[in-house]
Amino acid sequence: MNLYLITFQSGLNKMESVYDCHKDLFVEIEKYFTLHLIHYKEVETIPEDAYKMAFIASGGVEKTVTQHFDLLPYPITLLTDGLQNSLAASLEIATWMRNKGMKARIIHGSPMHMVKQILSHHQAFAAKREIKGKRIGVIGYPSSWLVASNVDYLLAKRRWGIEYIDIPMEEIYCLYYQITDDDISYKASVLVKQAVACREATPEDFLKAMRLYKAVRIICEKKHLDAVTLSCFSLIEKLGTTGCLALSLLNDEGIPAGCEGDLQSIFTMLIAKVLTNQTGFMANPSFINEEQNELVVAHCTIATKMTDRFIIRNHFESETGVAIQGILHEGEITVLKCGGECLDEYFVSRGQLTENTNYINACRTQIRIRLGKPVDYFTRNPLGNHHIVLMGDHEQVIHEFMQLNSCKQIE
């Protein structure tokens, strides 16, 4: 990995002395990056798509930086180890930028702490570059009750470089009827053996659900989709099955897949996958306890690979098809959601998964979460219904990524 530091050095100090003056920091950086120190007057030599930031090497450069701020990638990051009055200069520069309505942050601390921040920043930078060109398939249409979860396709493409692809349900129906039991029997038998139990769903239900999985999988391959969301409730009347199992298996295979045609949630799942390489659990907040700062989230599908074990059930609301009741291990999790018509708002919080619940009046997979941030966000200022749960603590890198893309944090 290359790191280009656009270097600002006082005229009282020679550019040739920069490395030696800040050697402790640079040696730590070079454990992870190939380091390039570039004088700000030579910034045109840096490759256009390279990873770069400003390095404030000394004091006395405040005016120079403010006169050449347009050379710096936005939002602006100032790297400073504090030597030679560089922190003092960085504070003045960052304040000037904020007064002008620009976003600016300072990376400072011990060399090891600074490199940790740089690595997090680079992870967000790489994800921003990777997300461009991704294709999200929308099979059918968003569910009618998702009144606050719309996305403007054009604005999303301009902001993120992603493309939403509308796919008629008829394409799924056509493929579904072409798939035979032989096409799906082996994978079906393997999955049944992996489950710890099979309750309401019948063998016929399971074969129908597997045919649907196969049809959606073929669509993903034909349309070169990186993620997919499915208008699953419309399947019940037409095919007598639900999309819960199909979405579970697609997520197992690394294809972010969401239900109800939720455009914002599937984007969130895609972002999470690119950033953390983690599969997300798309869920409804079902019960909130503000006194304990806890909530229970639930849904009828989850990637089996996210679970310690799973049970094959039917769909909670319709009592048809096949759903997955996953049992997850307790520990650190992250709750997140991207919202807004151009996907420029977000919520993220670390938390603790404390219990797998089994309420009879909620969807099949249920988990209780003690949230890191105030849980009254959900009752006071929510970004819609569905939120995404990731295993592990990814709050910092998600926050870094969203801030790098000038998104508004909702709390």
Side-chain angles (χ1 to χ4, degrees):
M1 300 186 295
N2 289 299
L3 170 58
Y4 292 82
L5 294 182
I6 303 170
T7 304
F8 294 87
Q9 171 83 342
S10 167
L12 298 175
N13 299 286
K14 295 182 179 180
M15 183 66 186
E16 294 78 11
S17 68
V18 170
Y19 188 94
D20 289 337
C21 289
H22 304 275
K23 189 172 182 178
D24 288 348
L25 172 60
F26 293 155
V27 167
E28 193 67 29
I29 289 175
E30 287 175 326
K31 293 178 182 178
Y32 305 92
F33 295 91
T34 300
L35 181 62
H36 306 269
L37 297 176
I38 307 296
H39 192 276
Y40 75 91
K41 290 183 179 179
E42 299 174 353
V43 71
E44 70 280 355
T45 64
I46 301 175
E48 186 176 349
D49 61 346
Y51 179 52
K52 52 187 178 287
M53 65 177 64
F55 178 62
I56 309 303
S58 71
V61 300
E62 293 87 341
K63 189 171 183 179
T64 301
V65 177
T66 58
Q67 288 175 336
H68 297 89
F69 72 90
D70 56 324
L71 300 177
L72 307 177
Y74 191 82
I76 294 169
T77 299
L78 307 175
L79 184 68
T80 171
D81 58 8
L83 299 178
Q84 304 207 4
N85 288 324
S86 57
L87 177 58
S90 298
L91 295 171
E92 193 74 12
I93 293 163
T95 303
W96 179 89
M97 289 175 173
R98 293 189 186 110
N99 288 341
K100 298 297 182 183
M102 295 182 282
K103 286 190 174 184
R105 64 169 289 190
I106 296 171
I107 291 180
H108 173 70
S110 68
M112 188 175 298
H113 177 70
M114 291 174 71
V115 169
K116 185 177 180 181
Q117 292 184 74
I118 293 170
L119 288 168
S120 179
H121 187 270
H122 179 267
Q123 188 176 355
F125 165 82
K128 181 178 181 179
R129 186 165 54 185
E130 185 180 345
I131 201 74
K132 291 183 179 178
K134 296 292 187 185
R135 293 164 59 87
I136 299 175
V138 183
I139 300 177
Y141 45 82
S143 296
S144 60
W145 51 86
L146 296 177
V147 296
S149 301
N150 189 40
V151 169
D152 186 305
Y153 286 12
L154 179 59
L155 291 179
K157 186 171 184 178
R158 286 179 176 175
R159 167 176 268 277
W160 296 100
I162 62 166
E163 188 172 1
Y164 283 91
I165 313 296
D166 287 326
I167 301 165
M169 292 296 294
E170 286 70 25
E171 292 194 33
I172 289 292
Y173 300 150
C174 182
L175 286 168
Y176 176 88
Y177 291 118
Q178 294 175 25
I179 294 165
T180 67
D181 288 353
D182 289 342
D183 294 327
I184 47 126
S185 58
Y186 176 73
K187 190 172 182 68
S189 65
V190 170
L191 192 64
V192 169
K193 289 177 182 177
Q194 291 173 339
V196 296
C198 183
R199 294 186 179 166
E200 303 90 350
T202 67
E204 183 182 357
D205 291 332
F206 200 74
L207 290 174
K208 284 183 178 180
M210 288 298 298
R211 287 192 194 98
L212 179 62
Y213 151 73
K214 187 71 172 179
V216 178
R217 188 71 177 83
I218 292 170
I219 287 289
C220 289
E221 292 173 357
K222 287 177 61 178
K223 306 286 186 180
H224 306 290
L225 302 179
D226 300 289
V228 64
T229 183
L230 179 64
S231 178
C232 40
F233 276 81
S234 60
L235 296 165
I236 297 172
E237 182 178 347
K238 182 73 175 180
L239 301 179
T241 191
T242 61
C244 309
L245 183 63
L247 301 177
S248 172
L249 296 178
L250 289 167
N251 278 304
D252 278 344
E253 294 171 8
I255 302 172
C259 48
E260 301 178 37
D262 189 330
L263 305 175
Q264 295 179 4
S265 290
I266 190 56
F267 174 78
T268 309
M269 294 177 77
L270 177 60
I271 288 294
K273 182 69 176 178
V274 170
L275 261 177
T276 70
N277 200 33
Q278 294 285 316
T279 298
F281 170 38
M282 174 182 166
N284 300 317
S286 298
F287 308 104
I288 293 172
N289 184 330
E290 292 190 13
E291 290 81 6
Q292 300 296 323
N293 208 55
E294 292 180 342
L295 74 157
V296 173
V297 300
H299 233 197
C300 282
T301 183
I302 187 170
T304 66
K305 290 182 179 178
M306 284 187 71
T307 71
D308 287 341
R309 57 191 185 279
F310 65 93
I311 302 166
I312 295 171
R313 303 287 304 272
N314 66 2
H315 180 241
F316 163 68
E317 289 158 304
S318 66
E319 296 185 347
T320 61
V322 175
I324 298 294
Q325 180 179 359
I327 311 300
L328 285 68
H329 62 268
E330 298 175 5
E332 290 186 330
I333 55 91
T334 305
V335 178
L336 69 146
K337 177 66 179 290
C338 301
E341 287 201 348
C342 60
L343 303 164
D344 60 349
E345 298 178 322
Y346 73 102
F347 169 83
V348 63
S349 175
R350 62 174 59 89
Q352 287 287 324
L353 193 165
T354 61
E355 182 186 4
N356 290 271
T357 60
N358 195 23
Y359 296 106
I360 62 172
N361 54 356
C363 293
R364 300 310 187 193
T365 298
Q366 308 171 17
I367 55 174
R368 189 186 306 279
I369 295 169
R370 182 174 296 116
L371 205 62
K373 292 183 178 176
V375 77
D376 68 352
Y377 147 80
F378 288 96
T379 54
R380 181 176 40 80
N381 199 24
L383 284 175
N385 166 23
H386 299 124
H387 282 64
I388 311 304
V389 178
L390 301 175
M391 304 305 289
D393 179 2
H394 307 284
E395 180 178 350
Q396 181 56 43
V397 70
I398 291 167
H399 176 70
E400 186 89 54
F401 174 80
M402 301 308 289
Q403 288 296 303
L404 189 64
N405 286 281
S406 301
C407 295
K408 178 183 178 183
Q409 186 174 16
I410 306 297
E411 294 185 297

